[in-house]
Amino acid sequence: MASEAVYSHRDPMLKKRDDFEDILEERRNSSDLRYALKCYTPVLYKGLTPCKVSELKQMVLQSDQLGYVITQVSKEKGMTTDEVTGDAAAILEEMAQRLQLSTVRFFAFTLSKVFKTLFRSICVNEEGLQRLQQAIHNHPVVLLPSHRSYMDFLLMSYILYTYDLALPVIAAGMDFMGMKVVGEMLRMSGAFFIRRSFGGDKLYWAVFSEYVKIMLKNGYAPVEFFLEGTRSRTAKSLTPKLGLLNIVMDPFLKGEVFDISLVPVSISYERTLEEALYARELLGVPKPKESTSGLFKARKILSEDYGSIHVYFGQPVSVRSLAESRVNRSQFNLIPRHIPTRPSEEILSFVNDSAYRLVRAQEENMVLKPWVLLAFVLLQKQAAEDKQGTALDEFTEQAVWLRDLSRHYGAFLHWPDHIPPSEVVSSSLSLHRGLVRISEGRLLNQAVVILSCVSYRNQALNVFIRPALLASAIHTAASNRKQEIYNGFSFLRNMFSNEFILCPGATVQDFEEACYLLVKTGALQINQQEVLITERGHRTLAFLTSVLDPFLQGYQVVCRFLCEEDCLTEKQFIPAVRKFIIKHLLTGRLRYIEVLSSDLQKNALAALIRLGAVQKIKGYVGFTHLRVPLETTKLFSFTLFISSKNILPLLSVI
Amino acid sequence: MCHTFPALTSDRSSRICSLLYKHGSSMASNSSGSDSSDRQRIAQQRLSVIAGHLQRPVEGNSGILAAECKAQGDKLDVSSERRTVPRRRQEIMKWNGWGYSDSKFLYNKKGQAEFTGKRYRLSGMIIPGLREWMESTFGANLQHKTPAAPILNSSAVQPPTLNEAFLKELKSTGIPFSHDAEDRVFRSHGHCLHEIFALREGKIGRVPDLVVWPNCHNDVVKIVELACKHNVCLMPYGGGTSVSSALECPPEETRSIVSLDTSQMNRILWIDEKNLTAHVEAGIVGQDLERLLNESGYCTGHEPDSMEFSSLGGWVATRASGMKKNIYGNIEDLVVHIKMVTPQGVIEKSCQGPRMSTGPDVHHFIMGSEGTLGVVTEVTMKIRPMPEYQKYGSVVFPNFEMGVACLREVARQRCAPASIRLMDNEQFKFGHALKPQVSSIFTSFLDGLKKFYITKFKGFDPNRLCVATLLFEGDREKVLQHEKQVYDIAAKFGGLAAGEDNGQRGYMLTFVIAYLRVVLGFKYTLVLDICRNVKARIVRECKDKGVQFPPLSTCRVTQTYDAGACVYFYFAFNYRGLSDPVHVYEQVEHAAREEILANGGSLSHHHGVGKLRKEWMRETISSVGMGMLRSVKDYVDPNNIFGNRNLL
C-alpha cells in the first residue's frame, strides 16, 4: 500500500532536501517599487478555462450541486427557490475572494518593507518552487502550509508573487472580517472567508464546497488552506481538520479531474511574532480580538529582530496515487454526482490517513534552528535543577550531543557547522534574550517565559516522539519482553494521539520505526523476544524519557484532578485544573511549569474522553458536564500503572 | 477491443504498435493491372456493400469469390450461392492480421503511404498526409520496421490431441472436418493485439485439435451429442473477429478441443414479408446477410464495424451493437427467435410473437453467453424495407464539450439520425491525414477555402475543434426534414455543417483504421470527465512504461441513448526501444479499463467479456449476479463441454 512508503525504514539521515535561497537579499539590493510593479505572468493550469471573479460566482449559483440543495432547502423551509437562491448569493457574497493584482502589488511593496525590518532572511527552496510550477501546469493544485503565525498566508502569497507563480485563493477564518479595511484588502489579495462553524447549515456547506471545487476544477487558482485549521499555539502540529481536505479531494474521487496535486509547505520561524502572545493565551489570558487598531498597536514589534524564516515547498503529492488501491472510485457511480452524499467510512478513513501523511510531510521539512535544541536542554535543566542556571560549557556540550542525535533521527537541522558550537549557542541565545539571559556564564530562567521556550522545543518534538514513546515504554515495562514493551508503547501512543501527530491505525509502523532508529544509533539491541539497552544507550534513553515526561506528568495531574472532582462543566474545567496545578507546583510536587498550558490540559481531557475514562453528559441546556464514571476506573488505574514505574514520583503521593 | 497494427510497408511492418490496420470489405479479386477507372468502380462497390452507404451495389460481379456452395440444396434457400467465407479462410484472408490478404497500407517507392487492393474506396490511393501525421504524432519513422514472420510454419504447431472414438463416430456422420495445422491455427485466435503479435512472431500456443464444419442445425445437434458422449471440448467459431480473447484455447484444457466453425451454415432459410422477419442460419456473415436481403429489397440494418467478417451467431453470443441502432436497434431488439443447441438439448421458444410475459426472457441467457452454453444455429430477425434515401452529413464544433452537449440534446429530443458520432480533435486530425491525394486543383482550393472559413472566419481553434459525422436514412422528404432539425440543434451548440463528404469519409475510416478499441457505455454527465481522464491515464501509463514518444490517445462518442452514450477509446504508441511492447500495451489497456470503471463506465458496450475482461465481472454484476450466471451454466452444461471459459 502506498502509505507504507512513508513509514519505510530508509535511513532518515539520507533524506534528500533542497538548498535554500534568501529572497530578501535581492530586496535589500534593488528597488521595492520596481519589484511591486514588475511584469507578472505566471504559468497557469493547462486545462484552465479563464473566467472572471463574477463569472465564478455565477458558475457556483448555477451549478447542479447547489441547485439540488436549493430545491431541498426551499421545500424544507417552505421558501421559494428564488428566496433560497438569494440567501445562497448572500452567503457567496460574504465568502468570495476578489483577487486583484493591484492589491497584490501594494502588499508586495509594503511587505517588502516590513519583512526587511523584521527578518534577517526569508529562505525558500527554489527547486520546490520549480516543482510547484510544474504541478500548477499539469493539475489543479492545493497548497497546504503549516500554520504557526498570521504571517503565514501573506508570506505564501508574497513568495509566489516573487517567483512569478499563480497566486492562490486562501481559505481564511471569518475572524479576519472583523478587521474592516484589512479584511477587504485580504479579500482582494485572494482570501475567501468561511465561518468557523456552520454545523447543520446545508445551504452554507453547499455554497462553500461548490465554490472551492469550482475554483479548483477550473484551475482558476491554486487553493490554499491550513490543514491544522488554526494557528498552533504550541508549535506542535495540530490534529488535521478534514472538512476542506474532503472537499478538495472530491473532484478527483468523482472523476471530475484527472488528478490533484497536494503540496505540503513547511514554514518555520526562528522567532514567531506571536511568541509571547501564545504563551499568555495558553496560560489563560484571552486572545485579543483581531482588529485593525490592534494591528497598529502591534507595530512596536517592528523594532525587534525575528531572525530568519525558512519556507520549504515539499514534493507535490498526487491524490491519484494516494487513492490508488485504497479507494474504490466506482462507489460514486450509482448516485448522480450532483447529489451531495455523506462520505463513506472508507473515504473518511482515506482522507484522514492522507491528512496525517501530509501533516507529517510538513513536519519533516520543518527547518529546526539550534535554538530549538537549546530549548530542550534548558527546559530539562530547569525542571531537574530547580530553577538553577546552567554552566555555558556544559550547556554547549549537551547541545552538541543532542544535535548529533537529532540528525540521526532525520531532523532537518540548520546548524551552521563551520562556526564553533559555542558561538552558535551564544548567538542563538542572544536572539532570544527576551527568554534567557547570560550572566557571567550562567543562565537564569524566568518561569513565565518557559512556555515560550516550550513552543520552540515543540518544533522538534516530531523528530523524537516515536523513540520517546518507545523509551518510556521500555522504562515502565516490568521485563525486557518485546511484546510487553509493544503493549506499553501502544497504550502510550493511543493516550497521546491527541497531543502529537500519530496516525490512527499505524501503531505497528510507528513501533518499528522507533525500534529502527534506536537500534541504528546503538541505543538498543532487539532480538526475537527481547529488547536490551546497550551501555551507551542509557544517555539517549534517559533523554528520550525526559522528552515525554512533562506530558506524562501533565496527563497524570489532570487525571488526579478529575478523580477528586465528581462533576463539572466543560467551561469550568480549564480554570479549575489550572488552580489545581498551580497548587501542586507551589508545593513542589510538580516540577513542570509547562503543564500549565491549556493546550495540554484540553488534549488530556479529550484523550480521557476518547478512551472512555471520562464521560460527557448533557446536563441542562448549554452546559456539558464531565463525569468520571466508576466503571472506567479500570482503564484509569491502568493509566496509573503505566506511569507508576518511577517516572512519576508524584504517584507515590497518590 | 480491436487492435491493430501497422502494416505500413509492403512485406515488412513498421514499428508502430496498434496502428493502421485494415478492414477489408467483401470479395476477393486479386488480379492486378486492370485499368484504373475499373479499379475505382470496384472500389466504390466495396464500400457500398460494406455498409450500404451508397445506393445498392451496381449489379453483379461484386462477388466473384470462390466460395464453396452447398452440396445439399434440399432446404428452402432463398439466398443465392455466392459466399464470402470459404472453409479454407486462409485462401483470401491474412493469417496474421485483420482482413483480406490483398488490402494493406504500405509506403510506395516515393515514400508516400498507399492503401493497396481494390476492395475499398481508399484502395489504390495515395495518402500524402499520412506519413507526416505518423511521424509527428508518434515519431514513427520509415527506418524502423519490424519484419513479421512471413508464412505459417506448420512445425511450430503442436500435433493435435485427438479423441479417436469421437473422430470415428464423427466420420460416420459425414460432417466435414480437418486437423490441418493451418486450419487449426486460424481458429485459435481473435484480433486482440497480443494474439496477432504472437502470430506475427511465429509464436503459437494451444490451438484447437480439430475443426468441424456443420452444414445445418441437425449437424450441430449431432456434433454436440458426440462431444457430450466422448467428453470433448467444443468451441464455437463464427467470424473470428473477437477482441476479448474469447477464442483463445484455455491452456489448461487437457481434453481434445474441437472448433465448431459455423461459417458454412450461412443460408437465409425464409423471409416473411408480411411480418417482416427473416429466418437465417447463424453462421452467415454480416455482409452476406445484408447483400442477400438487399436482393429481396430488405435489410436488417444491423451494421457493426466488423460486419464484413463477423457472423450472426457471434452477434447474438456477444450482444453486438450496430452503427445504425438508432433506427434498427441493437441485436437484442432485432432478434425475434433463437435456436441454440446445448448439451441439455435444443432451446427455443414456441412462437415468434413480438413480446412475451413469461418470466425472465430466456433469450437473455443466450445473448451474451459467449459460447459457454451452446451453439446458436438459427435466428429469426426483424427485417426492414431498404431505405429509399441515405444522406451523410457532418458538423464541426468549436470543442468536444459543445459536441457532447449537442449529442445530449439530440438524444433528449429523440431525433438521433441513423448514426451520429463525435470524434475528438486527435481523431479529426487522423481523419485528415487519411485524406487521399486530391486530383484537381479546384478541390484542393476548395478545401483551403473551407479551412480558412472555419479557422479564421469562425475562429475555431484547429487544435480543439471536433467533428460529428451523421448518417440519415429513410424516405427522402423525411430525411431532409430530419436533417434540418439536427442541424438546427447543432447550431445552438456552435456547430457548423461541414458537408456530406466529411461525413462519408468519417464512416469509411471505421472500416479502414486500426486501433485499439475500448467500448463502453456511460451516462451523459460522465462523458466529458471520462474522456479526459481515460485519455490522460493512457498518456501517463505509456510514459511510466517507458514509451519514448507521446502516444495517440483519442476517443469518440459512437452511440447515443436516452440515458447515456457509448464511447470508443483508441490508443496507439510507437514501441521503438521497448523490450516487450505487448506487455506494455496490455498494462496500459488494463489501466485504461480500470480508469473507465472507476469513472462510471461499463465493462463492455458490445464486444463482450471473453477472457480478457473476466477479472472485472464480479465487481460489475455483483457476487449474486455471478452466482445466477454460474447456476445457469451448471445446469445447461454440467460437464463444461462448451469449455472456452469465457465470461465466468
Side-chain angles (χ1 to χ4, degrees):
Chain A
M1 199 187 288
S3 64
E4 269 163 30
V6 170
Y7 307 110
S8 70
H9 295 167
R10 66 201 155 139
D11 193 331
M13 271 186 91
L14 301 176
K15 218 172 279 168
K16 213 181 135 21
R17 280 159 178 143
D18 306 333
D19 295 331
F20 284 101
E21 286 298 321
D22 178 12
I23 59 169
L24 281 189
E25 197 172 299
E26 204 194 323
R27 291 276 51 73
R28 291 189 210 280
N29 297 327
S30 66
S31 154
D32 287 336
L33 195 61
R34 196 177 303 146
Y35 160 78
L37 296 175
K38 73 173 184 160
C39 170
Y40 170 72
T41 47
V43 170
L44 301 170
Y45 174 48
K46 65 180 176 199
L48 174 78
T49 26
C51 61
K52 294 196 207 84
V53 172
S54 56
E55 288 167 343
L56 265 183
K57 287 184 197 163
Q58 277 312 306
M59 284 163 87
V60 175
L61 291 175
Q62 284 161 9
S63 68
D64 294 343
Q65 282 79 349
L66 189 58
Y68 182 85
V69 176
I70 287 176
T71 331
Q72 244 189 346
V73 171
S74 75
K75 271 184 202 151
E76 279 168 21
K77 296 195 177 163
M79 295 157 72
T80 65
T81 45
D82 283 350
E83 284 170 335
V84 184
T85 312
D87 289 354
I91 294 173
L92 197 56
E93 205 52 44
E94 177 195 78
M95 183 184 316
Q97 50 83 19
R98 283 197 300 275
L99 188 56
Q100 227 179 37
L101 198 55
S102 54
T103 319
V104 173
R105 291 189 193 282
F106 168 78
F107 268 113
F109 180 76
T110 40
L111 284 178
S112 294
K113 301 283 180 215
V114 173
F115 286 161
K116 278 189 283 187
T117 31
L118 285 178
F119 302 108
R120 292 183 198 169
S121 61
I122 297 177
C123 298
V124 175
N125 65 326
E126 290 187 338
E127 283 158 74
L129 286 157
Q130 277 161 17
R131 289 192 297 257
L132 176 63
Q133 188 181 39
Q134 199 58 42
I136 289 175
H137 178 66
N138 290 331
H139 302 292
V141 165
V142 179
L143 290 167
L144 300 168
S146 59
H147 204 10
R148 301 287 174 270
S149 163
Y150 277 143
M151 295 280 297
D152 290 330
F153 63 91
L154 292 175
L155 186 64
M156 283 290 290
S157 296
Y158 183 83
I159 293 169
L160 295 179
Y161 174 79
T162 308
Y163 282 91
D164 231 11
L165 290 165
L167 288 169
V169 290
I170 308 138
M174 206 60 119
D175 14 345
F176 281 108
M177 289 271 288
M179 310 158 73
K180 281 190 196 80
V181 182
V182 176
E184 284 312 298
M185 285 195 68
L186 291 177
R187 213 191 262 283
M188 286 190 274
S189 59
F192 61 96
F193 296 102
I194 43 179
R195 296 181 193 157
R196 282 260 173 231
S197 59
F198 42 88
D201 193 341
K202 235 189 249 178
L203 189 65
Y204 191 90
W205 175 260
V207 172
F208 162 60
S209 65
E210 201 47 33
Y211 182 62
V212 175
K213 279 186 217 172
I214 282 184
M215 288 194 292
L216 188 68
K217 278 194 298 200
N218 292 355
Y220 176 82
V223 172
E224 176 181 316
F225 66 92
F226 299 105
L227 263 179
E228 298 163 278
T230 179
R231 291 170 301 157
S232 166
R233 270 69 165 168
T234 57
K236 271 185 303 163
S237 294
L238 303 176
T239 309
K241 306 280 180 294
L242 305 180
L244 255 166
L245 190 62
N246 222 328
I247 289 173
V248 298
M249 282 181 156
D250 198 60
F252 166 75
L253 294 173
K254 291 191 173 164
E256 292 167 329
V257 292
F258 181 70
D259 200 355
I260 291 171
S261 300
L262 307 174
V263 183
V265 183
S266 318
I267 307 176
S268 25
Y269 296 88
E270 191 165 9
R271 237 188 106 186
T272 334
L273 294 178
E274 293 98 328
E275 170 187 274
L277 221 59
Y278 287 158
R280 290 203 188 99
E281 205 180 302
L282 289 170
L283 289 169
V285 186
K287 144 179 162 185
K289 207 161 182 263
E290 283 84 359
S291 69
T292 311
S293 57
L295 193 77
F296 276 101
K297 278 180 209 144
R299 73 190 183 280
K300 72 164 196 295
I301 57 170
L302 284 176
S303 57
E304 290 197 40
D305 177 1
Y306 286 90
S308 53
I309 303 176
H310 284 83
V311 183
Y312 194 96
F313 288 82
Q315 201 71 38
V317 179
S318 140
V319 178
R320 174 172 282 270
S321 57
L322 282 177
E324 205 172 334
S325 71
R326 257 310 294 263
V327 176
N328 176 11
R329 281 183 286 150
S330 56
Q331 65 184 283
F332 299 104
N333 291 343
L334 298 179
I335 297 173
R337 299 194 173 188
H338 66 275
I339 297 181
T341 43
R342 205 167 279 282
S344 65
E345 279 303 308
E346 184 196 6
I347 299 293
L348 286 178
S349 96
F350 164 67
V351 174
N352 189 45
D353 288 356
S354 306
Y356 273 91
R357 227 180 124 162
L358 290 161
V359 174
R360 261 198 96 176
Q362 285 175 358
E363 282 183 333
E364 276 173 10
N365 292 325
M366 206 66 105
V367 170
L368 302 178
K369 285 289 181 181
W371 167 246
V372 172
L373 299 182
L374 301 186
F376 266 96
V377 182
L378 275 172
L379 285 166
Q380 290 188 2
K381 290 283 165 209
Q382 184 271 335
E385 289 175 20
D386 222 356
K387 297 174 190 173
Q388 288 293 313
T390 307
L392 197 54
D393 290 349
E394 190 195 338
F395 187 68
T396 308
E397 188 274 332
Q398 288 182 351
V400 169
W401 179 83
L402 192 54
R403 176 193 71 186
D404 296 342
L405 186 69
S406 60
R407 277 188 178 158
H408 276 294
Y409 288 175
F412 194 1
L413 193 60
H414 240 243
W415 185 292
D417 283 312
H418 52 280
I419 301 170
S422 57
E423 274 179 41
V424 175
V425 170
S426 41
S427 84
S428 295
L429 293 176
S430 69
L431 182 68
H432 297 275
R433 59 181 163 269
L435 305 177
V436 279
R437 286 200 306 272
I438 307 173
S439 58
E440 298 165 8
R442 296 183 76 83
L443 304 165
L444 286 172
N445 307 311
Q446 283 192 344
V448 183
V449 150
I450 280 177
L451 279 187
S452 302
C453 285
V454 163
S455 80
Y456 289 101
R457 180 208 62 192
N458 283 351
Q459 290 179 21
L461 268 183
N462 69 298
V463 174
F464 298 109
I465 183 63
R466 286 164 190 82
L469 286 170
L470 179 61
S472 304
I474 292 171
H475 199 89
T476 48
S479 72
N480 291 332
R481 283 187 44 248
K482 198 174 170 183
Q483 187 58 44
E484 191 186 339
I485 290 167
Y486 174 79
N487 290 344
F489 177 88
S490 174
F491 175 81
L492 287 171
R493 189 182 173 286
N494 193 11
M495 187 80 191
F496 286 123
S497 64
N498 291 65
E499 194 74 41
F500 309 107
I501 296 299
L502 296 163
C503 184
T507 314
V508 177
Q509 284 102 314
D510 282 348
F511 183 70
E512 278 169 8
E513 191 182 322
C515 290
Y516 170 78
L517 289 174
L518 283 170
V519 170
K520 190 182 75 118
T521 47
L524 288 184
Q525 282 177 341
I526 298 180
N527 57 33
Q528 286 289 314
Q529 299 294 329
E530 284 184 321
V531 177
L532 299 166
I533 305 171
T534 61
E535 197 52 47
R536 53 193 274 240
H538 284 290
R539 182 174 181 185
T540 313
L541 283 164
F543 165 75
L544 289 172
T545 17
S546 65
V547 166
L548 210 57
D549 202 25
F551 296 94
L552 268 172
Q553 291 223 25
Y555 276 48
Q556 194 55 54
V557 97
V558 172
C559 281
R560 254 201 88 183
F561 166 74
L562 287 168
C563 281
E564 288 178 15
E565 295 291 328
D566 180 34
C567 210
L568 76 166
T569 69
E570 206 164 359
K571 267 194 176 163
Q572 296 162 347
F573 171 72
I574 295 286
V577 80
R578 186 178 290 130
K579 219 173 182 180
F580 184 81
I581 290 169
I582 289 172
K583 198 172 79 196
H584 278 271
L585 283 169
L586 289 176
T587 55
R589 283 184 288 179
L590 186 59
R591 289 172 299 155
Y592 296 107
I593 297 166
E594 64 173 285
V595 171
L596 277 169
S597 159
S598 60
D599 179 68
L600 183 143
Q601 296 151 9
K602 283 180 201 158
N603 287 337
L605 181 63
L608 290 170
I609 291 171
R610 180 169 49 80
L611 295 172
V614 175
Q615 255 181 0
K616 250 182 170 178
I617 41 172
K618 283 243 153 127
Y620 33 96
V621 190
F623 291 99
T624 309
H625 282 249
L626 299 166
R627 204 165 69 84
V628 186
L630 280 176
E631 59 272 27
T632 55
T633 44
K634 202 173 130 206
L635 177 83
F636 184 63
S637 57
F638 184 54
T639 322
L640 300 183
F641 170 75
I642 276 294
S643 347
S644 65
K645 296 269 289 185
N646 62 16
I647 334 171
L648 297 177
L650 181 67
L651 267 176
S652 52
V653 183
I654 303 173
Chain B
M1 98 217 21
C2 167
H3 344 256
T4 13
F5 236 48
L8 257 192
T9 74
S10 48
D11 53 343
R12 301 147 295 181
S13 68
S14 87
R15 269 211 183 194
I16 303 115
C17 184
S18 74
L19 185 66
L20 299 179
Y21 170 96
K22 63 259 93 219
H23 270 24
S25 97
S26 53
M27 289 98 261
S29 118
N30 231 342
S31 68
S32 55
S34 52
D35 82 273
S36 65
S37 66
D38 184 33
R39 277 216 328 229
Q40 276 192 346
R41 191 176 56 79
I42 298 179
Q44 288 284 353
Q45 286 172 18
R46 297 287 56 90
L47 186 71
S48 69
V49 175
I50 298 167
H53 291 167
L54 303 173
Q55 292 298 328
R56 305 183 55 178
V58 206
E59 38 109 51
N61 65 346
S62 44
I64 336 168
L65 176 40
E68 283 181 74
C69 301
K70 289 272 134 60
Q72 320 98 301
D74 52 336
K75 274 193 168 177
L76 170 66
D77 182 359
V78 294
S79 62
S80 69
E81 295 293 298
R82 285 170 281 122
R83 293 295 180 236
T84 303
V85 187
R87 274 206 319 242
R88 290 185 61 75
R89 304 172 71 91
Q90 50 274 44
E91 284 164 11
I92 59 159
M93 290 182 210
K94 279 195 211 107
W95 71 280
N96 63 355
W98 178 272
Y100 296 104
S101 321
D102 60 358
S103 303
K104 58 187 156 203
F105 281 98
L106 57 77
Y107 282 131
N108 64 18
K109 290 190 191 96
K110 282 189 242 159
Q112 288 169 311
E114 188 178 334
F115 189 59
T116 67
K118 299 185 185 133
R119 296 165 185 278
Y120 300 91
R121 205 164 75 126
L122 209 58
S123 295
M125 289 200 186
I126 289 173
I127 309 157
L130 182 60
R131 181 176 169 183
E132 192 198 328
W133 178 84
M134 298 255 299
E135 285 173 6
S136 63
T137 313
F138 298 101
N141 181 311
L142 271 178
Q143 270 73 58
H144 300 274
K145 296 161 186 163
T146 319
I151 45 159
L152 172 64
N153 178 5
S154 304
S155 60
V157 184
Q158 283 186 351
T161 318
L162 297 174
N163 183 321
E164 293 301 338
F166 173 80
L167 207 57
K168 205 174 136 213
E169 286 203 52
L170 184 65
K171 268 180 196 156
S172 70
T173 62
I175 299 167
F177 63 89
S178 158
H179 46 75
D180 171 70
E182 272 190 31
D183 287 333
R184 290 162 52 217
V185 169
F186 221 102
R187 284 157 189 83
S188 66
H189 65 85
H191 283 89
C192 292
L193 179 82
H194 66 102
E195 295 175 318
I196 296 298
F197 226 90
L199 290 176
R200 292 174 77 91
E201 296 196 337
K203 285 181 201 151
I204 292 159
R206 179 85 159 99
V207 304
D209 302 302
L210 194 72
V211 182
V212 291
W213 287 274
N215 259 316
C216 59
H217 171 76
N218 288 338
D219 284 357
V220 176
V221 173
K222 283 179 213 158
I223 295 167
V224 173
E225 267 170 18
L226 290 179
C228 293
K229 184 171 165 193
H230 300 289
N231 194 21
V232 164
C233 172
L234 284 180
M235 286 178 62
Y237 180 91
T241 57
S242 145
V243 284
S244 57
S245 299
L247 289 168
E248 254 175 43
C249 295
E252 66 272 30
E253 182 60 68
T254 53
R255 297 174 294 182
S256 178
I257 299 179
V258 175
S259 177
L260 193 153
D261 184 334
T262 59
S263 65
Q264 306 311 303
M265 298 168 47
N266 54 13
R267 286 156 300 183
I268 296 179
L269 299 175
W270 48 255
I271 293 175
D272 179 346
E273 303 192 37
K274 287 271 155 48
N275 292 305
L276 287 175
T277 53
H279 192 64
V280 190
E281 288 185 313
I284 196 165
V285 296
Q287 57 168 315
D288 285 354
L289 176 62
E290 218 57 13
R291 181 167 46 80
L292 296 172
L293 285 173
N294 288 359
E295 284 169 8
S296 319
Y298 294 100
C299 66
T300 63
H302 184 69
E303 293 183 12
D305 291 353
S306 63
M307 71 174 293
E308 296 169 275
F309 305 109
S310 58
S311 69
L312 172 55
W315 301 338
V316 171
T318 55
R319 296 180 66 89
S321 169
M323 178 180 89
K324 297 194 287 198
K325 72 97 193 147
N326 292 337
I327 294 185
Y328 301 97
N330 289 320
I331 195 73
E332 66 272 22
D333 310 308
L334 286 165
V335 162
V336 176
H337 184 267
I338 303 173
K339 199 189 260 189
M340 178 165 80
V341 182
T342 76
Q344 290 283 14
V346 176
I347 172 174
E348 62 178 322
K349 291 184 186 173
S350 68
C351 68
Q352 311 233 16
R355 185 170 191 273
M356 289 161 101
S357 172
T358 49
D361 190 342
V362 290
H363 280 173
H364 286 283
F365 291 131
I366 299 170
M367 284 188 284
S369 60
E370 304 192 1
T372 57
L373 300 177
V375 190
V376 176
T377 55
E378 290 172 15
V379 177
T380 307
M381 277 182 99
K382 292 180 198 169
I383 54 172
R384 297 287 305 162
M386 284 177 70
E388 174 194 311
Y389 187 65
Q390 275 194 327
K391 192 168 184 198
Y392 289 92
S394 62
V395 181
V396 183
F397 291 99
N399 55 46
F400 194 64
E401 290 77 3
M402 294 294 247
V404 171
C406 174
L407 259 60
R408 164 71 280 194
E409 187 54 32
V410 166
R412 194 203 307 277
Q413 298 192 17
R414 291 220 175 142
C415 64
S419 170
I420 179 166
R421 291 178 168 180
L422 181 71
M423 296 189 261
D424 69 358
N425 183 264
E426 288 86 349
Q427 214 162 109
F428 166 74
K429 286 184 186 158
F430 177 62
H432 255 258
L434 273 184
K435 222 174 184 173
Q437 199 166 34
V438 281
S439 35
S440 78
I441 300 174
F442 181 68
T443 348
S444 77
F445 172 72
L446 219 59
D447 280 352
L449 213 61
K450 271 190 235 160
K451 194 176 166 190
F452 179 82
Y453 176 71
I454 288 178
T455 58
K456 295 291 183 311
F457 191 71
K458 281 290 177 178
F460 284 18
D461 178 352
N463 291 317
R464 295 196 69 202
L465 59 82
C466 76
V467 176
T469 55
L470 309 165
L471 171 60
F472 299 91
E473 257 186 31
D475 57 69
R476 197 186 150 82
E477 207 176 297
K478 277 192 188 146
V479 163
L480 296 177
Q481 210 183 327
H482 193 176
E483 191 186 17
K484 185 173 179 304
Q485 188 186 6
V486 172
Y487 283 146
D488 285 349
I489 295 174
K492 282 187 210 147
F493 294 91
L496 287 178
E500 284 189 63
D501 188 53
N502 275 322
Q504 197 166 0
R505 196 169 51 241
Y507 286 99
M508 181 194 63
L509 260 184
T510 308
F511 290 88
V512 181
I513 54 177
Y515 289 116
L516 151 79
R517 292 179 208 174
V518 187
V519 189
L520 308 126
F522 303 111
K523 293 162 78 176
Y524 281 105
T525 46
L526 306 177
V527 168
L528 289 176
D529 290 337
I530 252 178
C531 291
R532 180 193 48 244
N533 289 355
V534 174
K535 289 199 286 185
R537 177 80 180 262
I538 288 170
V539 173
R540 175 186 282 192
E541 291 288 333
C542 283
K543 201 172 150 204
D544 290 354
K545 303 292 181 298
V547 176
Q548 296 174 359
F549 294 88
L552 173 70
S553 173
T554 159
C555 68
R556 72 171 169 206
V557 182
T558 63
Q559 289 292 11
T560 59
Y561 290 85
D562 285 355
C566 164
V567 182
Y568 265 67
F569 288 97
Y570 299 80
F571 80 91
F573 59 85
N574 182 335
Y575 66 85
R576 199 189 310 158
L578 296 179
S579 59
D580 189 354
V582 177
H583 186 59
V584 170
Y585 166 86
E586 283 170 348
Q587 286 177 315
V588 174
E589 189 196 334
H590 192 273
R593 190 165 308 282
E594 297 212 306
E595 190 62 33
I596 286 160
L597 292 176
N599 283 277
S602 67
L603 187 52
S604 172
H605 173 264
H606 60 255
H607 284 155
V609 175
K611 289 179 267 289
L612 195 64
R613 302 185 256 278
K614 254 162 89 168
E615 62 175 297
W616 292 284
M617 268 301 268
R618 190 171 294 276
E619 71 177 272
T620 303
I621 64 167
S622 83
S623 293
V624 178
M626 284 293 275
M628 285 180 173
L629 296 185
R630 177 91 258 164
S631 62
V632 171
K633 166 80 178 169
D634 288 346
Y635 168 73
V636 175
D637 183 16
N639 298 318
N640 198 28
I641 297 301
F642 288 91
N644 60 19
R645 304 188 191 213
N646 290 337
L647 201 61
L648 291 173

